[in-house]
Amino acid sequence: MDYTYEELIEKAYKASEFAYSPYSKFNVGAAVAVSDFAGEVKMFTGCNVENSSYGGTICAERTAMCKAVSEGYSKLMAIAVVSSEGSYTYPCGICRQFLSEFSDKETVVILHDKDKNNVKKMLLCELIPEAFTL
Ligand code: THU
């Protein structure tokens, strides 16, 4: 593999330090392992970016994935999601649908519980069975 789950978790925590979350004070970080049309693998990171309109807020997962897609890396192999809170931070419903666009049956979601230092590995298709498609 061109990346490890540990590496993704570490990068996600680094990204969470840049969270713009003056309203919720809830800092989220995400790191994606993605590949381009030629199969080259890269990692991108993102944090949540809030807005005073609230509805304009963008989650960390979508920030990371948009950075990847906009540079040509649109096949999602794995994503790590972490937050400033203890216990696991699961991707919200909008992010599950958004990420499923770029996923396959093997796309992995890695979660980290900071308090217990536990890692949970799931499949994105378990988190969003029957995702909407056109
Ligand atoms: N948030 C994420 O970044 N990802 C999620 O999957 C859930 C929620 C952010 C959005 C908002 O800035 C804060 O967490 C509280 O909802």
Side-chain angles (χ1 to χ4, degrees):
M1 271 211 293
D2 305 278
Y3 61 93
T4 63
Y5 296 147
E6 289 70 25
E7 232 179 319
L8 281 181
I9 290 169
E10 198 183 309
K11 283 181 183 291
Y13 273 115
K14 275 214 181 104
S16 75
E17 289 171 20
F18 297 116
Y20 178 76
S21 54
Y23 307 107
S24 73
K25 313 263 193 283
F26 188 72
N27 297 350
V28 186
V32 293
V34 283
S35 62
D36 66 2
F37 70 96
E40 194 200 325
V41 177
K42 253 197 187 183
M43 287 179 273
F44 290 85
T45 61
C47 62
N48 51 330
V49 183
E50 297 187 345
N51 190 271
S52 58
S53 72
Y54 287 26
T57 293
I58 305 172
C59 293
E61 298 92 318
R62 280 177 287 144
T63 303
M65 199 62 217
C66 284
K67 284 170 70 179
V69 173
S70 60
E71 296 205 16
Y73 292 78
S74 56
K75 184 183 182 309
L76 176 62
M77 291 176 291
I79 178 167
V81 186
V82 306
S83 77
S84 49
E85 299 298 301
S87 82
Y88 299 119
T89 297
Y90 292 89
C92 76
I94 296 171
C95 287
R96 293 178 197 200
Q97 173 66 34
F98 188 89
L99 295 170
S100 76
E101 184 81 23
F102 308 102
S103 71
D104 60 25
K105 291 256 173 296
E106 287 164 18
T107 299
V108 169
V109 177
I110 306 294
L111 307 170
H112 184 248
D113 179 330
K114 205 166 68 172
D115 288 349
K116 302 197 175 103
N117 193 25
N118 280 339
V119 174
K120 187 186 255 190
K121 180 184 158 193
M122 304 186 74
L123 291 173
L124 183 64
C125 62
E126 292 180 85
L127 286 171
I128 182 156
E130 312 297 349
F132 177 75
T133 56
L134 282 177

